[in-house]
Amino acid sequence: MAHLVCDDSGCPIAYPGLSHLTLIQWSVERLPSKPSTSSNQIPFPRLRSLKIDMEHPFGDNTLFRGNCGTLESLQMALDCITINMLKRNEVFAAGKYAKLRNIYIRSIDQESEVESIPDYIYQSFVLKMSPKAQIFTDQEVMIDQSKVALFCNSPNLADLRVLNLPSLALHMTSLVPLLKGLRRLERLECSSLVGDLDIDADCMHAAHFPLASRLRLLSLTSYDDEHNDAFGCIMLLALVCPVLTHCRMSYGWRESFNSFVQGTVETAPYSLCRDRLMALKYINEQQ
């Protein structure tokens, strides 16, 4: 990867007009070595979008030098080694990437067991990469239920509009405080919703309505045949979220979901919000 930023004689190469950069490694093998460059070298000073679809290719902050005032979208693979390197170089020091709105992270090796990132590192680093994040995606199973609570009170996520956790099934006990903490959330994606179907809907409505007053779209990525639990949770959520009108899920769930909604709205307390809940619209995963 050194040839990207240095010519054959070792002289630095810069790309002052480059605004979008994508780095891809076709091999699944880990990199044998990672080059570093002089701290004075700034090869990508005006990047707006950086996608690193591979193990981080440098041993230092080469890709991030000089573009903290322009970078708006970042997609990268993370592990503890990469995080330590970024922290050591103070890449995401407090408030540094004020224009970074879209953050997408995943594990480095998608074929093997994902390395666990401790909660305190996830909270102190991952959730503080930008003070103005609006879209946050954790693509792999890097996140678990214990980390969901970390989103609730993070000041860096006050402006978050979209949260994508496609590998995680969210439990209702985690989801309610999550939505209370992310007051501007408009779209939420997870693998499924799980919870106790004996939850008292009247108590849920009395305790939490209105919840997530901007949440309009819920997306479920699971293709599991056992979906009644998820449907029950969706209806509970729709009961307390006043503008939740669209649910994206597997096409195979369409008829059973519509039937579940029609049956549920005839029962109390859902019947009190019948017109609003009947507007709950299924959309498939392609829409």
Side-chain angles (χ1 to χ4, degrees):
M1 194 59 69
H3 66 276
L4 183 66
V5 294
C6 294
D7 62 20
D8 292 339
S9 62
C11 294
I13 302 173
Y15 306 84
L18 188 67
S19 60
H20 301 271
L21 176 63
T22 298
L23 301 176
I24 298 175
Q25 177 187 10
W26 297 111
S27 171
V28 297
E29 296 180 0
R30 300 298 289 262
L31 297 175
S33 62
K34 297 182 179 183
S36 297
T37 60
S38 168
S39 59
N40 296 323
Q41 185 175 348
I42 304 177
F44 308 104
R46 292 186 177 88
L47 279 186
R48 293 176 54 199
S49 172
L50 174 59
K51 179 180 179 181
I52 311 171
D53 197 12
M54 59 182 294
E55 180 183 355
H56 198 80
F58 290 93
D60 59 13
N61 61 339
T62 296
L63 295 175
F64 295 95
R65 291 192 202 118
N67 51 44
C68 61
T70 59
L71 194 65
E72 300 171 357
S73 178
L74 173 64
Q75 177 174 332
M76 68 183 304
L78 285 179
D79 62 2
C80 288
I81 294 176
T82 303
I83 289 176
N84 287 335
M85 179 277 292
L86 295 171
K87 291 177 68 174
R88 186 169 60 252
N89 288 277
E90 299 183 341
V91 172
F92 296 105
K96 192 172 181 180
Y97 278 85
K99 289 189 176 181
L100 183 56
R101 300 290 189 267
N102 186 355
I103 299 173
Y104 178 111
I105 61 172
R106 66 170 180 82
S107 63
I108 283 182
D109 189 350
Q110 301 182 63
E111 302 299 324
S112 62
E113 185 175 349
V114 177
E115 177 183 7
S116 176
I117 293 179
D119 287 3
Y120 76 93
I121 293 180
Y122 202 94
Q123 182 177 35
S124 64
F125 178 81
V126 177
L127 298 185
K128 292 185 177 181
M129 293 171 72
S130 168
K132 295 292 183 179
Q134 294 185 2
I135 303 174
F136 184 92
T137 302
D138 187 330
Q139 180 62 33
E140 306 299 331
V141 290
M142 186 182 297
I143 186 167
D144 51 34
Q145 293 292 339
S146 69
K147 292 182 175 62
V148 173
L150 305 180
F151 285 80
C152 301
N153 299 309
S154 174
N156 286 47
L157 301 180
D159 292 330
L160 201 67
R161 305 292 200 274
V162 180
L163 177 60
N164 300 316
L165 308 173
S167 298
L168 182 68
L170 279 172
H171 198 284
M172 291 296 288
T173 55
S174 301
L175 181 57
V176 171
L178 176 69
L179 294 178
K180 284 186 175 181
L182 303 179
R183 297 180 180 275
R184 298 187 178 183
L185 200 66
E186 299 172 2
R187 298 170 57 183
L188 173 65
E189 179 182 75
C190 57
S191 68
S192 188
L193 296 179
V194 294
D196 185 354
L197 291 183
D198 292 329
I199 295 175
D200 190 300
D202 282 302
C203 292
M204 180 84 171
H205 187 269
H208 301 299
F209 183 86
L211 178 69
S213 59
R214 298 187 182 187
L215 183 66
R216 297 182 180 276
L217 173 63
L218 173 68
S219 298
L220 304 183
T221 61
S222 174
Y223 289 87
D224 196 331
D225 290 336
E226 299 296 326
H227 45 57
N228 278 348
D229 192 359
F231 290 172
C233 292
I234 290 173
M235 293 305 295
L236 280 172
L237 197 59
L239 184 66
V240 296
C241 297
V243 299
L244 180 59
T245 54
H246 291 76
C247 292
R248 177 182 289 131
M249 60 189 77
S250 166
Y251 181 78
W253 290 11
R254 179 176 184 174
E255 290 187 8
S256 53
F257 175 70
N258 289 338
S259 176
F260 191 94
V261 171
Q262 292 172 8
T264 302
V265 297
E266 302 302 331
T267 64
Y270 300 97
S271 56
L272 299 176
C273 310
R274 187 181 187 281
D275 291 343
R276 176 167 65 84
L277 295 178
M278 281 299 293
L280 193 61
K281 182 180 180 182
Y282 160 90
I283 55 178
N284 67 49
E285 63 269 29
Q286 302 301 323
Q287 292 177 285

